Amino acid sequence: MPQVMVVARNFMDMVAALPASKLDMLYDSAFICEAVLRSLPPLAKKYALQMLYVSAPVVASAMEEWVLSDYATKHRVAIDKLLQLRVFVEVRDRRKEVSYKMNQKFQGNMQKYLVDGGSLPREPMPSSVTARLPTLTELEAYALEQWECFLLQLINSSQIEGGSSFSLSMMRTFQRGLLSSRDGEAPRLTENGFQFLLMETNAQLWYIMREYISSAEERGVDPTELISFLLELSFHTLGEAYSLNTLTDVQRIAIRDLAELGLVKLQQGRKDSWFIPTKLATNLSASLSDSSSSKEGFVVVETNFRMYAYSTSRLHCEILRLFSRIEYQLPNLIVGAITKESIYGAFENGITAEQVSLAL
Amino acid sequence: MTSKVYSDDVSLAVVVVDTNPFFWASAALPFADFFAHLIHYVNSLLLLNHLNHVVVIATGVSSCTYIFDSSDASASGSADVAATFAKASRKIEEFIAQDARCTASNGSVADSNSASLLSGALSLALCYIQRVFRSGTRHPQPRILCLQGSPDGPEQYVAVMNSIFSAQRSMVPIDSCIVGAQDSAFLQQASYITSGVYLKPQELSGLFQYLAAVFATDLHSRTFLRLPKTLGVDFRASCFCHKKTIDMGYVCSVCLSIFCKYHKKCSTCGSEFNRVMPDLNSMPDQRQ
Amino acid sequence: MYGGGGGGGGFNAPSTASGRRRNQEDEEEEEEEAGEGRVLEAWERAYADDRSWEALQEDDSGLLRPIDTKTLVHAQYRRRLLLRSAATAAARIQKGLIRYLYIVIDLSRAASEMDYRPSRMAVVAKHAEAFIREFFDQNPLSHVGIVTIKDGICHRLTEIGGSPESQIKALMGKLECSGDSSLQNALELVHGYLDQVPSYGHKEILILYSALNTCDPGDIMETIEKCKKSKIRCSIIGLAAEIFICKHICEETGGSYTIALDESHFKELLLEHAPPSPAIAEYAAANLIKMGFPQRGAEDLISICSCHKKIKSGAEGYICPRCKVNVCELPTECRTCGLTLVSSPHLARSYHHLFPVQPFDEVSSIYPNKLGQKGGQKCYGCQQSFINPDSQSSLHVRCPKCNQHFCLDCDIYIHESLHNCPGCESQRSSSS
Amino acid sequence: MPISWSTATSTCSTPRWPASCPGRCRRSVSSCSTRHTTSITSALRLSVSASASRRWKALNETCGASRKRLIGRFKATDANRLRAEYNRLVDGLAQRGNLPISDAWLANPALPDDILKEAVPGNIRRAEHFLAVLRRLVRFLDGRLETETVENEMPVSFVASIHSQAGIDQKMLRFCYDRLHSLMLTLEITDTDEFMHIQTICDFATLIGTYTRGFSIITEPYDERMPDIRDPVIQLSCHDASLAIQPVFDRFQTVVITSGTLSPIDLYPRLLNFNPVISRSFTMSLTRDCICPMVLTRGSDQLPVSTKFDMRSDPGVVRNYGRLLLEMSSAVPDGIVCFFVSYSYMDGIVNSWNEMGILQDIMQHKLVFIETPDVVETTLALDNYRKACDCGRGAIFFSVARGKVAEGIDFDRHYGRLVIMFGVPFQYTLSRILLARLEYLRETFQIKEGDFLTFDALRQAAQCVGRVIRSKADYGMMIFADKRYSRHDKRSKLPGWILSHLHDAHLNLSTDMALHIAREFLRRMAQPYDKMGSGGNKTLLTEEDLQNMAQDAMEM
């Protein structure tokens, strides 16, 4: 699905969009560097790696030697990207010859990484303090559950899942684009809202994060801090407990919201509370959502528009319900029919036929 | 779909490290530095994509073993990568010691230019890669990198060849980086047949630079890059009788064993040769 | 999830005779319990044989999951393996490694039948291609030619040659079928060609036969005699049913005659012909062949290749060691001095036939780590632990020589593709 | 005209079925396949049709000729040889006595020993007299053939009329066969076929002379099928199969009757009137189910197919039958055998196939051979059929139920992978013989016509399809192409070894389904299998197996 790439890159664009000073500030943290590096296109990665131990600027023309002549375009793209993100810095010597050198901070961090294969943003709390931690499976289950009920929330805001009522800030985030909330009636799903539902979990995550961050600006929170925090978060170890006390208050606010999305799990200890990053969080910096996060199951649509979906998730059921009449549900099977009314209903909500067929 | 867009990135690199003491004793680059380079390289791979997967296999004079597997590292949390590396280096030392021990125990080969068990290491690597293939449809792109210093062991010829063909069959390129003095005919052929990269760096001190520049890139973006070409692969066979390479010789029609000069009887399959072309009809027909 | 189960069932059912019988039996009983008036429709009958749905189980949550066919597959693989190793029981087994094979493809009217999807012809062509590749992979020094039968006459599609690509191209080009088929004509033709091959070569014919009859100009028995005389081994794979004459031919000439049940089975049968058959002593004269092992020409040297008469830089050509002429591809015969030119990899490809890995013996999971000191709980090859939760049986195998333990997958891989035992290879003592 | 002296074939035919149990006929002294004995009808048939009239003359001539020659011989042969012959005639009894008895009944099973034991009556002992008698007899028969009406009389009255008109008494009649036989022996006449007709007459005479009941003489001036052409026939038909088997029962204390087509088994004791000690029907023991019977009721167009009188000439049915054969000929390798209900039907349908062009299409797949009433032609056809099967060309043999092929020829292995029974081979119900026979059966054995007819038809059908599989290494398919087979009353009369393999799914097939099944079956059968049979279905019994069985039998 192309959207995924779009979203993912957009995020990096956002990073790139930041003014140089802020960028350099970002590069203070090794994790940002790492995340940025990983988000680069393959060729760019390679260059970065190659330049890692080169302190002197390298002449651009020399770099072009690295690739075969007929792939020059790709080379261009890579270089641009690097410059955009200020991983490479362009320097011109007196002979007006363009040559690149690497961003010192970036370089430094990376070198450090190579030596001691990446350290941790903050030490996990000793297990003595923490009460029993949820197992990874529990954690994942929790994350997915949270995430799904958030999505369900999107689909029909009327029904509120037990316990997880979303804070205003989050709701506001969704309002933008996903939900068309005409005042008075309950917000309904819009076209790209529906599109959104069809994305990979990871892509959705990014999308939401972007919305969240940009909305953060309105709330007068410095996006860079958020970004760095999010990226940091993604490098925490899955299932380890981290104390909240180590966080700045901005981060504390953020983490509450994230908890609602299921990115982290908050736990209250005796004297202090801590948060546990879930798979969703650790995947933040991943460019690829691994298969476990995308749920199994497939849909069979007969020519008589009867539809059989092999899935256990309520979410799937709900998504289908958007444009079809669910007839009955078995433990792992959802049987529905696409009827005129149902499809019209879908169009009412601005869902286009393409999207429906895409969904199937 | 997403997977397809990105999976070119994700790669599984099995690094075969030659820990032949006889070689490292007399190597230009001390083993410790070499190992440091290696660690850098492994780290850089992991850095490039958090889904990248690196396995290191050590091959000694008389045994081979797995010494590092990033998958169990990440399983225990990507945090303690450092710890795993520490473990790895510990493991490799143990291995070397143990290897030396069993070399001593079967004192068959103690001469200085004895080969490492390339065939064994390759076999292990391939088995591991097969397992990854089995793991599912979105498996990473596997490749093998051989860091070899010690000379080839002619007695491994058949075995190495078998592994090479098996690799070719499952599209696993075998890259080879020679840290030793002389070229390795085995690895030349391996890289040539499996369309991997064969490299013999001049300046060993900058080993990491070579590794990063040539071997760190994933298979997909290799197609763009200008990589060192393999020239003059030695395709000459070594005869079975004296293990010496020949460019013309006799081949047994039954078992294809190679001899440097004419024999009366095939030493491999034991079939008699008759110089004159026998006319078929004169031969007794055992069918009735 | 259906695919797995169905495929598994479909694949297992035909291959094991017992499986077959079992299927028939429960098919019978199924139909007996089906009431008097009840009639299985045609499409139902199609499934009545391989009852793939029986391979499906439900897990506790009611999700369907296919039974793991792994052990089954492995079991039948082992049978094959042991069979093979039994056949090559003699330490020094002679194999016919230099084979001259003509593939005869029946493109008569019958080849357009639709009982194989999309048509017999298409299926045959598809797998023939796969076969040819596999064949050259296993017998690098062998030669293959393709002959087609159509309208009762048969003509040579490609002359016998050493490279797969040309054959395949020719085959794919020529795919329409009509008229009767004639075994005799085919045999006559091929016999004519095969009489010219050198005496050390093993002459074989592999007929992929769709038709159920043969319209011959003369007495086919004589032709069979001729083939028998000139030591040509005819094997036939029938797509429809057993034909007496085919059986006769194969029995006479020492070939094998098999009938495909379905596409997968056909593929199986076809690929069984890829590995070289144990040489019947008098079928070909053992002989020492003088061969050259040319090297790639140096980068700079420019020469004219003898095969295409084109100017080539030495790099993409090879130099005949005897007469120094440049040839483009190996293996081939030097145009000038007639020396057989091969590269050592070509020879090496078939060495595993000579030094096979002996079959591993199965170790039951009761005492997993008693025997394998190093192996322990893990497969020595791929480091996979034997105690995996999903498959209830943690059966694995052990190499008799090096006592290393391997998982079933590795076992298959090692014997089918790799052909060395990693355990033995990574021990100095046994590696030479 | 072929003369089927059916009784002659009722002698020990070695037990073929089930071919599984070596020890079976150990205790038996004799055993015979009942197939033939029951079909001992239409014993003799003299034809005087235009074509044959010449032969009739020839017959007379031969009589004359032979007589002259005999006279000549008398003159020629010296006294003692003449005396020797005379003696033999006089004390035939003694002669017979010397001969081993079994030979006697083997040589002439139809005649009870008492005849054989009696001496030849004096008035035909001399050759001249005998010939004169024959002359008179022939002339008498000739006279009878002149008749315009259909007559049906018992041997008694017939003999009476002979006596009155030809002055030949029963005793003389009875000895004709015997006398002629010995005469021929004496004169060492080798070319017997020249004397075939005269022998026929003697046989006829002897039979009517011998039996007073169980036979009837039917004289028909016309053939019912073509009532305008005059084709007078005198037929002596035997209604009572028990007569034929009688000597066997008399001769042996233990008789084991085995057959693949004895069904329903309870009918036989009544037909052959004896009371069985044990009657068992064994199921066939096979390593794999290597026979695949199917009942095909509809063509591809789902219209029913049958050979009932009202339907058989319907072009739709004919076409469907044609399509069936065509499809099968394209899907079945080597040999296919087709059985039709009668010659006339076969001619008809083959003609119309020819017109429809179906025959040509079939010819593309296989060569077609046809059985004709002519023995020589048929054997030739069979030869070529076999050749065609051997060399892989593939062939189809059109044959007729109750025909010679159906009775005696095996189409095992590749000679018959498929046999198609077109229609239910009921007997020609209007024929006098059948009517007479049915009547007789009803009177003597209280067997209903309907029962007997279906029984007979199904037995024929089973026998036809039985040709195709002769051993358990063999395999073959059987298609009963008639909707009537799907009816239970018909089907249930099929022998058990067929029924046991007749799946319910195969009871009501149309052509396309049958085709599919056929393909599946052939593929399955072509797979290698273990000949010995494994575990449950062991088919080759060893010595100890038998002993064990005996043990078990003892225990229960």
Side-chain angles (χ1 to χ4, degrees), chain C residues 21 24 28 31 34 36 39 49 113 115-116 212-215 239-245 259-261 265, chain D residues 289 330-334 365 390-393 414 417 475 491 503 519-520 522-524 526-527 530 534:
Chain C
R21 200 170 295 117
Q24 288 169 26
E28 258 177 51
E31 284 169 351
E36 171 74 29
V39 176
D49 277 350
E113 294 259 359
D115 52 356
Y116 290 67
L212 282 176
N213 61 359
T214 159
C215 304
L239 280 82
E242 181 185 56
I243 311 168
F244 174 77
I245 190 65
I259 304 297
L261 288 159
H265 188 218
Chain D
D289 50 5
S330 71
V332 177
D334 299 332
H365 299 289
D390 284 333
C391 79
R393 178 63 181 88
H414 60 288
R417 285 303 181 207
Y475 64 90
R491 203 187 341 128
H503 304 157
R519 287 215 166 105
E520 289 283 321
L522 287 169
R523 292 212 170 96
R524 217 163 56 220
Q527 301 310 315
D530 54 344
S534 57

